[in-house]
């Protein structure tokens, strides 16, 4: 797969690998590998990972499909926590920088591989590399996820997510103050017409509905609680960016890089806070809450203290 990527002004002076990681939504090591293999070109010349970029530069990036990378790499993930261990499923707290499952171009850790390393037997339904995965979180988003252990649990949980009977609650810090303080964003989303690696509100896109409520206002930013009615890729990030209130730290969707640096953020302030669903065996309601990780907690405390 080949695509052309334009370097925005806020990434001028950045290294190629770090800029591509943000622009393509991949790990920095994956971006460095693309450079090492000669897959990042400027005017026909291959760029090294440490080369610095200029605003407006157009890069030709080739992302090879590496089917060998779809094999599950069994490796532990230190910060991945088990929040609830049931005979039918396991609920985890996914840290930032971890993908749900292997995919082309991703060479970092995965939830599937981490659970295998921890000795968990999960459902073998679906594609082998996605075993047990009934929903996903972005690599750059932390928080609560459920993974099916049995085939029965996989089938019922997969259906629950499809039929939207699962309660998904996120917390996000967005720039500025949304008006009204409580509302619904009902806007279709799809791939950005000019950038395959981004999504946008577009006419004819897939129906996307986000409900939100401001929990705390800090002047330059606000903590919001988000309830997803649909679960499109990058939905929360795209919707708040379209309102001109991007998630703090989310440079891909228009966040202020200076403000992100002041808060110590190297990714979007977005956390899957709570997950509720019917137990696939008993039918009882299950609800699990995930605490903020250290980087998000630090940024939030800074805002609550009146800084920056």
């Amino acid at each position: 797969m080949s695509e052309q990527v334009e370097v925005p002004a806020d990434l001028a002076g950045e290294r190629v690998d770090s800029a591509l990681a943000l622009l393509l939504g991949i790990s920095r090591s994956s971006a460095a590998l693309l450079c090492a293999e000669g897959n990042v070109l400027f005017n026909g010349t291959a760029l090294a990972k440490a080369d610095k970029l200029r605003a407006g530069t157009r890069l030709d990036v080739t992302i090879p499909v590496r089917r060998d990378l779809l094999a599950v790499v069994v490796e532990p993930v230190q910060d991945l926590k088990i929040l609830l261990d049931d005979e039918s499923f396991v609920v985890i707290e996914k840290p930032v920088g971890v993908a749900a499952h292997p995919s082309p171009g991703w060479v970092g850790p995965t939830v599937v591989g981490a659970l295998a390393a921890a000795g968990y037997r999960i459902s073998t339904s679906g594609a082998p590399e996605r075993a047990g995965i009934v929903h996903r979180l972005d690599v750059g988003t932390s928080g609560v996820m459920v993974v099916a252990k049995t085939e029965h649990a996989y089938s019922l949980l997969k259906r629950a997510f499809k039929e939207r009977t699962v309660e998904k609650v996120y917390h996000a810090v967005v720039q500025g103050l949304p008006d009204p303080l409580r509302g619904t964003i009902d806007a279709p989303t799809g791939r950005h017409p000019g950038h395959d690696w981004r999504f946008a509100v577009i006419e004819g896109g897939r129906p996307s509905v986000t409900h939100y409520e401001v929990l705390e206002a800090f002047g330059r930013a606000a903590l919001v609680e988000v309830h997803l009615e649909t679960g499109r890729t990058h939905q929360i990030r795209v919707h708040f960016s379209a309102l001109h209130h991007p998630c703090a730290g989310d440079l891909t969707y228009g966040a202020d890089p200076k403000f992100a640096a002041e808060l110590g953020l190297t990714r979007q302030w977005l956390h899957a806070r709570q997950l509720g669903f019917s137990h696939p065996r008993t039918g009882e309601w299950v609800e699990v809450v995930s605490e903020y990780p250290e980087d998000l907690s630090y940024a939030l405390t800074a805002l609550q203290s009146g800084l920056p």
Side-chain angles (χ1 to χ4, degrees), residues 63-306:
I63 303 177
V65 177
R66 299 184 176 90
R67 299 200 176 276
D68 57 309
L69 290 183
L70 295 183
V72 176
V73 177
V74 178
E75 60 177 321
V77 175
Q78 184 176 0
D79 295 332
L80 187 145
K81 299 177 183 177
I82 305 299
L83 300 179
L84 178 61
D85 192 0
D86 182 270
E87 63 182 25
S88 298
F89 57 83
V90 57
V91 181
I92 66 161
E93 187 172 79
K94 186 190 84 67
V96 65
V98 178
H101 55 72
S103 61
W106 175 252
V107 296
T110 66
V111 169
V112 173
L115 289 175
Y120 283 85
R121 180 193 175 279
I122 55 181
S123 166
T124 56
S125 296
E129 72 275 5
R130 301 187 183 191
I133 299 296
V134 294
H135 70 122
R136 294 178 293 175
L137 295 177
D138 293 342
V139 170
T141 299
S142 54
V144 61
M145 277 185 65
V146 59
V147 181
K149 284 186 178 181
T150 67
E151 316 309 308
H152 179 68
Y154 180 89
S155 177
L156 292 186
L157 287 171
K158 194 75 174 176
R159 183 191 308 164
F161 277 93
K162 183 178 180 180
E163 296 177 351
R164 305 174 188 174
T165 60
V166 176
E167 179 71 13
K168 297 175 286 184
V169 181
Y170 290 74
H171 281 188
V173 168
V174 301
Q175 292 182 188
L177 181 63
D179 182 18
L181 299 181
R182 182 176 185 176
T184 295
I185 309 169
D186 187 349
T189 62
R191 289 205 176 268
H192 193 290
H195 306 281
D196 286 344
W197 43 271
R198 286 180 59 184
F199 290 78
V201 171
I202 58 172
E203 185 177 353
R206 301 179 71 186
S208 304
V209 181
T210 301
H211 307 285
Y212 74 89
E213 179 180 2
V214 173
L215 300 179
E216 291 186 73
F218 310 109
R220 297 176 65 187
L223 174 67
V224 298
E225 181 167 289
V226 177
H227 291 251
L228 286 185
E229 189 171 314
T230 55
R232 309 305 181 200
T233 303
H234 296 184
Q235 179 176 317
I236 296 172
R237 301 165 64 189
V238 169
H239 271 174
F240 279 100
S241 176
L243 292 182
H244 305 293
H245 295 293
C247 294
D250 193 357
L251 304 188
T252 299
Y253 287 102
D256 179 359
K258 182 178 179 182
F259 186 50
E262 290 172 349
L263 293 175
L265 289 173
T266 57
R267 51 112 166 191
Q268 65 267 15
W269 204 115
L270 179 61
H271 185 69
R273 175 69 167 169
Q274 185 174 312
L275 189 64
F277 55 91
S278 295
H279 193 292
R281 185 173 53 81
T282 67
E284 295 182 358
W285 188 251
V286 177
E287 205 163 81
V288 184
V289 175
S290 170
E291 299 301 325
Y292 303 144
E294 187 176 353
D295 61 336
L296 302 190
S297 182
Y298 174 89
L300 183 60
T301 299
L303 287 168
Q304 291 169 333
S305 301

Side-chain angles (χ1 to χ4, degrees), residues 20-34:
L20 282 182
L22 290 169
L23 293 172
L24 299 178
I26 62 177
S27 70
R28 187 164 173 173
S29 58
S30 294
L33 181 59
L34 289 176

